[in-house]
Amino acid sequence: MNLVKTSAAFAVFTVFSSTALANNEFYGKANVTVQLSDEGEGSFSEVKSNASRLGVNSHYEISDDLKVIVKFEVQVDVDGEGDENISGRNQYVGLEGSFGKLVLGKNDTVTKQSQGKVDLFNDMEGDIKNIFQGENRLRDTVTYKTPKFGQFQLGLTYVTNGSANEDDEGVSAALFYGDNQLKQTDWFASVAMDRDVKGYDVNRATVSTKLAGIVLGAMIQNQENLDSGEELDGYFVSAKYSIENWDLKGQFQSGNYELEETGLVTSDDATGYTVGVDYKLAKNAKIMAFYTDFQFDDATDRNYFGTGIEYKF
């Protein structure tokens, strides 16, 4: 079954890459680590595929001011765990023009997109989703982004009640400023909110900049579980310093959970940090090492030490 799915995926990619009617980009990323993990029952070794993927971006220009856009992206579990080693990531079709960009399908909500690049260990063990809600990629969504007004842009995701949202409709909205790669602007900032998305309300503010050669990032977040009423207030900071072929990285995240029941307030804390180093072998290839530690008042503490390789094409 895995071979059939893999062959079908490559067939689709080949068709898109060969057609002369559209502008196409075939891309991929392999990120695989070998690590020593401890999730509360003693340490064990494992090989992890950290959201390795294959994808196609395609657009067809209908006129000078209108084009059809398509993205097909799948996750490939290079470690071979489980029976299903291929799963869907962002997959959508839409239109783009002077009015902005409108896409339909499975996609990251604009709240997830609003984090920019501040999470330096995204898709790995230190991902901010371990404490913060809002990192949602949902099916059956409609996402609209306005044209840029200077460096500002508005985004809206409508989550239909056919999505993975417990049969409830939800909305995600965000205001962006600048370039999240910090190549065109010195600052990137965003404010975002979810309303009834996967059972949570979320409010988030994010900022990143470069200072004395160090890329700095920060986020504050408030979230509420709409079923239990539990609220979290938290913050996140990150920093990356590059010297020649080396990237030194670190981030810290903290959250305080509070739940009020029958006049009593219970409070639990969660913290996590990750430190790591990357060494660039080439423009699109690197080796890496990291250590991640999460501490929870109301759950099992976890820590990970790993090393691996990443290749993008």
Side-chain angles (χ1 to χ4, degrees):
M1 180 63 70
N2 289 338
L3 179 60
V4 171
K5 288 188 175 182
T6 304
S7 300
F10 274 106
V12 171
F13 295 148
T14 301
V15 169
F16 269 85
S17 298
S18 61
T19 179
L21 297 178
N23 295 301
N24 308 295
E25 173 198 12
F26 174 59
Y27 64 92
K29 181 177 82 169
N31 183 308
V32 182
T33 53
V34 56
Q35 58 192 56
L36 190 64
S37 305
D38 187 342
E39 298 177 338
E41 298 182 355
S43 61
F44 59 94
S45 60
E46 59 179 332
V47 174
K48 292 293 291 289
S49 177
N50 304 297
S52 300
R53 68 201 65 170
L54 290 171
V56 172
N57 282 318
S58 180
H59 73 265
Y60 179 77
E61 295 188 4
I62 298 174
S63 66
D64 292 340
D65 195 36
L66 183 64
K67 59 185 177 183
V68 178
I69 53 176
V70 172
K71 176 189 281 285
F72 290 151
E73 185 175 286
V74 296
Q75 181 166 310
V76 182
D77 291 331
V78 182
D79 55 3
E81 289 187 5
D83 296 328
E84 304 293 335
N85 72 326
I86 292 181
S87 56
R89 288 176 58 86
N90 289 338
Q91 300 172 355
Y92 56 72
V93 62
L95 296 172
E96 186 172 10
S98 59
F99 62 90
K101 181 178 179 180
L102 178 70
V103 298
L104 316 174
K106 185 176 184 179
N107 199 14
D108 294 344
T109 66
V110 292
T111 294
K112 176 175 171 59
Q113 295 176 42
S114 75
Q115 70 153 280
K117 302 294 182 181
V118 300
D119 185 355
L120 302 179
F121 297 92
N122 185 47
D123 294 327
M124 300 182 70
E125 300 293 1
D127 195 303
I128 63 173
K129 67 183 180 183
N130 286 284
I131 296 178
F132 289 172
Q133 297 293 323
E135 298 297 291
N136 295 310
R137 176 181 300 117
L138 299 176
R139 64 178 185 259
D140 301 327
T141 63
V142 181
T143 297
Y144 171 70
K145 285 186 175 180
T146 67
K148 278 198 169 184
F149 302 100
Q151 291 296 331
F152 289 94
Q153 186 177 38
L154 283 167
L156 181 71
T157 298
Y158 168 59
V159 185
T160 70
N161 58 13
S163 73
N165 192 38
E166 302 177 1
D167 296 325
D168 292 326
E169 297 176 324
V171 174
S172 176
L175 173 64
F176 303 86
Y177 172 84
D179 167 31
N180 62 24
Q181 302 277 356
L182 300 177
K183 294 180 179 179
Q184 300 175 10
T185 58
D186 294 330
W187 290 84
F188 169 78
S190 65
V191 290
M193 68 175 188
D194 283 350
R195 290 297 177 267
D196 198 11
V197 177
K198 291 199 75 174
Y200 280 86
D201 285 351
V202 173
N203 300 295
R204 172 183 291 183
T206 306
V207 64
S208 62
T209 189
K210 284 183 180 179
L211 181 64
I214 303 175
V215 179
L216 301 171
M219 178 187 294
I220 57 173
Q221 176 153 318
N222 167 267
Q223 65 192 44
E224 180 182 0
N225 185 316
L226 299 178
D227 290 330
S228 68
E230 182 182 64
E231 290 193 54
L232 174 141
D233 289 306
Y235 69 91
F236 166 91
V237 292
S238 64
K240 180 175 74 172
Y241 179 68
S242 301
I243 178 170
E244 296 183 349
N245 290 340
W246 297 90
D247 287 338
L248 308 178
K249 308 186 297 184
Q251 60 190 42
F252 177 82
Q253 186 177 11
S254 177
N256 175 257
Y257 297 86
E258 289 191 352
L259 177 62
E260 182 176 355
E261 292 182 305
T262 63
L264 297 176
V265 177
T266 58
S267 179
D268 294 299
D269 292 325
T271 60
Y273 71 89
T274 302
V275 293
V277 58
D278 298 343
Y279 179 77
K280 297 176 184 176
L281 300 170
K283 181 179 180 181
N284 296 327
K286 67 181 182 182
I287 55 176
M288 56 200 170
F290 69 91
Y291 177 76
T292 294
D293 186 277
F294 282 102
Q295 303 285 327
F296 302 94
D297 283 350
D298 64 343
T300 303
D301 297 340
R302 307 194 300 266
N303 61 76
Y304 309 88
F305 173 74
T307 184
I309 185 169
E310 179 181 279
Y311 171 60
K312 294 180 179 180
F313 57 92

